[in-house]
Amino acid sequence: MPFVATSIDLPPHTAEVRAADLDGDGRKELIFVSSEPKGRQPDAVTLTLVSLTAEGQPTKRETLRLGQRATLWDAHNGLWGVDGDGAYNLRTAARLGARRTALGGLGLTTPLAADLASDIDGDGVAEIVVVGGGKVELFSADGRSRGAVPVRSEGSLKANARGGGLQVAAAAAWPGMTFGDWDGDGIDELLLPDGDTLEVVRFGPAGATATKVKQPMDVEPRRDPAADPKAGRRDIENVWLKDVNNDGKVDLVVHQWVIGSTFFGATAELITARGNGTGFDKPTTIATSAAAVDVQLRDIDNDGDLDILASQVDLSISNIGRALVSRKVQVDLCAYIWGSGGYASQAKVIRRTGFSISEPERLKLKVEADLNGDGWIDLVTNDGGDQLVAFAGGPAGISEAPLATWPGALPLGPDPLFIEELTGDARAEVLLWGPKATKATLLRLR
């Protein structure tokens, strides 16, 4: 089952690739984010939207210039922006509602993508979060306000000498936020995590109401400033508020590093606390035998819940010593499968690979989507070499034999593999791209 390639022209200064179904036709559009250098000024951002046919051929192109205006943007059932005056439709410029934000006080600024839009009730109409005036408010894409609640934001001021004069920098930090179905009623709430507290904001016919819930652990700060370096520490790397056990309610998953007096020998802990609709159950902890990097939540066994995937690397002094001799570091792609009541305490190694000690950034390893349409998530990797290989997922795990291969080194860049279902046939495509390339290659299984 070979790959079939299609070439797609990249806009100048492409810095990021995203995808979303912007017009409701069942096929996602590619969103190329260009960041054009402006000398000493902030970069200017342009969004290029590319539609694809069912065969993966590029057709319609649309360009939206965000420029240097202080703007947060998101793509979800449309394309939305939040600036100093509130939320608006990026494609039509129609305002959704008035709510002044701290973005209005900024000068020239590089626009930024942010997760601010969601369809909380599944009616096909997006809702967009706006923070301003001491409140967080939700606006529907049709301009209706769904309600607002008080919220605490933080500011910072810095002053320093620059070029013989005083330079003052002012910044405003919005609270952390995400969407999720807290109580299992099929309607998402706005979740505002803050240390050991989670504020759950519900939006109903009468407006917004908020409830505070105690989290089982303090997830801020990520690194404990009071930790004794000689005694070791625990640094939080990732926090998820997602329904992992498929019961319709949000759960808490935390990935944290466990570091001794030195980084050698570092391992990790994977902590899970199930949500019950009113709070969290007692957390359980998995202690990994090696450092866990690139931790993800994926349904690897195709049973509807989310398993934990982690690339594990032995950072012991003895193993690092062997790596210095062999010039290669072994990486185990491990799965912690969700079973009855929680995650398996023992990892299942689903792929063993490695990278050259002189070029660790060359290894690319992604388990994100179904390439062949059989319902199982597949693995795409270059094993640190000059050939892209796809391996099929299935009931027995990741296959040993390749599903498909593509010759040649990946483009240079931090994330040259973009994997997404783009043509509406329930099979994901692989986009190979680089920030300095003029063309991208779209790979589809024949």
Side-chain angles (χ1 to χ4, degrees):
M1 187 179 293
F3 278 124
V4 177
T6 301
S7 180
I8 299 177
D9 292 332
L10 286 175
H13 310 294
T14 299
E16 185 183 0
V17 180
R18 292 180 173 237
D21 184 0
L22 303 177
D23 50 16
D25 66 350
R27 291 201 297 268
K28 293 182 179 181
E29 285 72 44
L30 282 167
I31 305 172
F32 295 114
V33 185
S34 299
S35 187
E36 181 183 356
K38 292 293 184 179
R40 294 185 178 183
Q41 295 181 358
D43 293 351
V45 169
T46 298
L47 306 182
T48 302
L49 317 179
V50 178
S51 300
L52 301 177
T53 67
E55 292 74 35
Q57 296 292 328
T59 55
K60 180 182 175 184
R61 279 189 173 236
E62 179 181 353
T63 300
L64 298 173
R65 303 189 187 280
L66 305 187
Q68 297 166 292
R69 182 180 177 85
T71 304
L72 300 173
W73 67 273
D74 196 7
H76 189 98
N77 291 359
L79 204 56
W80 316 103
V82 175
D83 61 10
D85 296 320
Y88 65 105
N89 187 316
L90 277 181
R91 303 175 86 175
T92 67
R95 286 283 167 184
L96 306 186
R99 168 67 66 186
R100 290 290 296 170
T101 79
L103 299 178
L106 301 181
L108 296 178
T109 308
T110 299
L112 180 71
D115 293 330
L116 298 176
S118 181
D119 181 5
I120 64 171
D121 44 15
D123 63 355
V125 178
E127 284 80 29
I128 299 91
V129 177
V130 178
V131 179
K135 294 182 178 181
V136 57
E137 187 166 6
L138 197 68
F139 288 94
S140 286
D142 57 11
R144 293 178 298 125
S145 172
R146 300 293 299 267
V149 295
V151 69
R152 176 177 60 86
S153 57
E154 297 178 353
S156 65
L157 292 173
K158 291 183 180 180
N160 57 68
R162 179 179 176 183
L166 175 67
Q167 182 187 50
V168 176
W174 290 9
M177 61 183 66
T178 188
F179 289 95
D181 188 351
W182 171 251
D183 50 14
D185 65 351
I187 299 176
D188 284 353
E189 283 74 39
L190 179 64
L191 308 177
L192 308 176
D194 183 14
D196 62 353
T197 302
L198 178 67
E199 187 166 7
V200 180
V201 183
R202 296 176 173 86
F203 297 93
T209 59
T211 304
K212 289 189 176 182
V213 177
K214 189 76 171 177
Q215 294 195 130
M217 64 181 294
D218 190 342
V219 297
E220 293 288 351
R222 296 298 177 96
R223 181 171 181 176
D224 185 0
D228 181 359
K230 296 181 180 179
R233 66 183 194 270
R234 283 168 165 78
D235 293 350
I236 294 178
E237 180 70 14
N238 292 298
V239 179
W240 296 270
L241 286 162
K242 296 179 72 74
D243 176 17
V244 298
N245 61 344
N246 199 29
D247 69 347
K249 304 181 185 70
V250 165
D251 309 299
L252 174 69
V253 180
V254 178
H255 162 220
Q256 65 182 8
W257 287 89
V258 180
I259 303 172
S261 56
T262 70
F263 194 72
F264 291 111
T267 58
E269 289 178 341
L270 307 171
I271 303 167
T272 307
R274 289 182 295 180
N276 55 39
T278 59
F280 291 100
D281 294 342
K282 184 178 178 180
T284 59
T285 301
I286 298 171
T288 67
S289 58
V293 298
D294 193 25
V295 177
Q296 306 170 57
L297 302 179
R298 296 279 187 263
D299 185 7
I300 191 67
D301 57 355
N302 200 27
D303 63 352
D305 53 44
L306 296 178
D307 310 300
I308 296 178
L309 284 180
S311 297
Q312 295 191 183
V313 183
D314 184 353
L315 295 180
S316 65
I317 293 178
S318 60
N319 191 58
I320 295 299
R322 288 190 293 269
L324 290 173
V325 175
S326 66
R327 310 302 296 170
K328 190 170 184 179
V329 176
Q330 178 178 298
V331 177
D332 290 339
L333 180 60
C334 298
Y336 295 87
I337 303 298
W338 182 275
S340 56
Y343 287 111
S345 59
Q346 297 298 316
K348 177 182 179 182
V349 179
I350 62 174
R351 176 72 177 173
R352 180 158 286 164
T353 183
F355 57 82
S356 167
I357 199 169
S358 60
E359 297 179 298
E361 71 282 354
R362 289 197 64 189
L363 175 63
K364 304 302 178 184
L365 191 71
K366 288 200 172 186
V367 186
E368 292 191 355
D370 176 15
L371 300 181
N372 58 2
D374 64 355
W376 294 83
I377 296 179
D378 305 314
L379 166 67
V380 180
T381 182
N382 66 346
D383 281 333
D386 292 334
Q387 178 177 251
L388 187 70
V389 187
F391 296 91
I398 301 297
S399 65
E400 291 289 337
L403 177 66
T405 61
W406 183 257
L410 294 181
L412 296 177
D415 191 20
L417 285 176
F418 180 79
I419 303 176
E420 188 66 76
E421 201 280 288
L422 298 168
T423 59
D425 65 354
R427 298 189 304 165
E429 287 75 34
V430 181
L431 186 79
L432 310 180
W433 75 284
K436 294 184 179 181
T438 59
K439 292 182 179 292
T441 301
L442 186 74
L443 301 179
R444 305 173 63 241
L445 288 179
R446 187 185 297 276

